[in-house]
Amino acid sequence: MSRSPYIYNKESGNRYNFISSGNRSIIKVVEFTPTSKNIYNLGFGDLLPDGEIDDTVKSNNGDIIKVFATVIDILQDFTKINPSFIIAFEGSTFERTRLYNRIIRTYYQSFRKTYFVLGAIETEAGRESVPFDPTTALVYSVFFVKRIE
Amino acid sequence: MGTTKKKRVRNVSSNKLKTQNPMDFLTDAQKKTLASEEPLFPEKVKRMNEILATIKLPDYFYSTR
């Protein structure tokens, strides 16, 4: 992504955090958690003052591009160390899912140099995984990425 | 004729803020969450497991390296 990312802290092998310094300072957390199929779920949200995590909040902090550039940077770090891992993520809300679609579509040309990207679509036959197509108007409900280099 | 001395005012609090790391201001509850070994997004992981039970990824995706 063109906007430079924030500097992040690595709490452990799979947990990261950084500060979104827009209108306010908000602590963001990113965690990769293994699922039953050894695919890692990418979780992303705000760490609230009471210690709760909110992954549905609309921060409106004025730095969304920089925040997502940081999440991509973190994804790069994690998959560089664990190149065989498949990372899956889904928006917590339909709005956020649409946002992920827009971001991946926008940056796909550079993203595809490093990752294979699959998207999940809902069909009459059920849920199906297909290669991500940046030209489609479809909204993918889940993304799966795997490092290729 | 006397000279007027201009007082130089330093905004100490603003300078101080610029050099301090906001991570130093975590609440105890936030520190506890970050230090916890429990997954931070258990509901998302549960949901992803449900999704993965209903979807098949192509074999090539598993063997791309």
Side-chain angles (χ1 to χ4, degrees):
Chain A
M1 293 180 102
S2 54
R3 190 72 60 92
S4 62
Y6 287 115
I7 293 167
Y8 58 80
N9 302 303
K10 196 169 180 178
E11 286 288 325
S12 63
N14 63 348
R15 185 176 295 176
Y16 300 74
N17 62 61
F18 62 95
I19 297 158
S20 153
S21 306
N23 305 322
R24 295 163 287 141
S25 289
I26 300 171
I27 298 165
K28 303 277 184 183
V29 287
V30 175
E31 185 174 64
F32 299 91
T33 314
T35 66
S36 55
K37 290 199 174 175
N38 214 21
I39 292 170
Y40 280 69
N41 178 72
L42 188 165
F44 168 59
D46 290 7
L47 176 58
L48 306 179
D50 63 1
E52 292 295 313
I53 305 280
D54 191 340
D55 61 358
T56 59
V57 68
K58 266 182 82 178
S59 305
N60 287 329
N61 211 21
D63 59 347
I64 193 165
I65 300 292
K66 203 169 165 72
V67 164
F68 279 102
T70 313
V71 175
I72 299 286
D73 215 28
I74 289 171
L75 178 67
Q76 297 269 29
D77 180 77
F78 186 74
T79 57
K80 202 168 184 179
I81 297 163
N82 307 289
S84 63
F85 288 5
I86 295 171
I87 312 298
F89 53 96
E90 178 200 36
S92 299
T93 61
F94 182 67
E95 200 177 7
R96 199 172 267 210
T97 299
R98 282 179 67 98
L99 176 66
Y100 291 173
N101 273 264
R102 204 163 65 235
I103 288 170
I104 295 180
R105 193 171 293 128
T106 305
Y107 297 98
Y108 182 68
Q109 290 312 321
S110 73
F111 206 62
R112 69 195 288 258
K113 292 175 189 160
T114 315
Y115 298 99
F116 285 111
V117 186
L118 295 179
I121 53 168
E122 314 297 325
T123 67
E124 281 180 12
R127 194 173 277 132
E128 208 177 298
S129 67
V130 294
F132 180 80
D133 175 3
T135 63
T136 184
L138 283 171
V139 175
Y140 299 99
S141 55
V142 188
F143 291 96
F144 301 93
V145 301
K146 187 175 182 186
R147 205 175 175 96
I148 52 176
E149 63 173 31
Chain B
M1 227 174 121
T3 53
T4 312
K5 242 186 176 178
K6 258 194 179 175
K7 256 193 176 177
R8 218 174 141 195
V9 181
R10 268 183 74 202
N11 188 344
V12 179
S13 58
S14 134
N15 285 343
K16 208 173 170 190
L17 274 177
K18 277 178 195 164
T19 55
Q20 287 174 331
N21 180 353
M23 293 306 283
D24 297 339
F25 297 101
L26 288 175
T27 64
D28 287 345
Q30 286 172 319
K31 284 179 191 165
K32 197 175 165 191
T33 300
L34 287 179
S36 157
E37 288 181 10
E38 295 299 314
L40 298 180
F41 302 92
E43 289 304 316
K44 290 306 294 276
V45 176
K46 192 177 158 201
R47 161 96 181 129
M48 190 55 74
N49 278 327
E50 288 167 4
I51 291 170
L52 292 173
T54 64
I55 195 167
K56 187 183 181 312
L57 302 187
D59 291 340
Y60 77 81
F61 204 63
Y62 289 97
S63 55
T64 46
R65 286 185 71 86

